[in-house]
Amino acid sequence: MTRIAPARLLALAALLPLATSALAQQKIEQQMSYEQFKASGLDKLSAGELANLNAWLEGKLEVETAKAAEGARQGAGDDRRGLAAERQARDPVSAAITGAFSGFGKGRQFTLDNGQVWQQIDEASLSARLDNPKVRITPSLIGAAWYLAVEGYNTRAKVQRIK
């Protein structure tokens, strides 16, 4: 297992509150597409109920961020984002798919230029033919799910890392 250099740990610890603050300011209705928001039934909440949910999520985010900061301080430098593990980094992954991208489809695998391989595990669909598109893979706010988004498109696919 590799260790993170002390200077890198300090930089990470200094940036963590800024990232947390930016995420905490984003309400759940801003993080979901309209279709996801409606499908989850959250559109039926009153303004007060939605505000309470957002406050609860903000508290959860603060707790998870504190855990992540503690993990960074302990020096876990192995890049295991998205892999099943007792502890894993929850930083978004920014990369490019190597080769041709032919859209989303359950079971499709996406090999990134950083060597990671992710597989789609939901029914999301996207029809597109692109070469080496830039992607961003982000963890869910709560839970262990990860979502892949192709730059320039709003549709996200739920994915799991397989390598």
Side-chain angles (χ1 to χ4, degrees), residues 78-85 87-91 93 116-119 137-139 144-146 159-163:
D78 191 16
D79 185 7
R80 303 195 47 80
R81 292 176 287 183
L83 289 175
R87 286 186 185 170
Q88 59 178 274
R90 299 208 20 100
D91 301 322
V93 176
Q116 296 178 359
V117 180
W118 295 76
Q119 183 173 28
I137 303 173
T138 54
W146 290 78
V159 292
Q160 68 181 9
R161 186 167 167 196
I162 57 175
K163 179 181 172 209

Side-chain angles (χ1 to χ4, degrees), residues 55-137:
W56 180 82
L57 288 172
E58 185 177 335
K60 288 296 280 182
L61 181 61
E62 289 174 8
V63 168
E64 292 302 319
T65 301
K67 287 180 187 177
E70 181 59 29
R73 280 190 283 278
Q74 292 179 1
D78 191 16
D79 185 7
R80 303 195 47 80
R81 292 176 287 183
L83 289 175
E86 190 173 311
R87 286 186 185 170
Q88 59 178 274
R90 299 208 20 100
D91 301 322
V93 176
S94 294
I97 292 177
T98 57
F101 170 76
S102 57
F104 291 145
K106 188 171 185 174
R108 287 194 180 159
Q109 293 184 6
F110 308 102
T111 301
L112 306 182
D113 59 0
N114 63 8
Q116 296 178 359
V117 180
W118 295 76
Q119 183 173 28
Q120 183 175 336
I121 58 174
D122 71 356
E123 300 289 338
S125 65
L126 172 66
S127 296
R129 300 258 186 249
L130 304 168
D131 288 321
N132 306 309
K134 291 182 181 178
V135 297
R136 185 163 170 88
I137 303 173

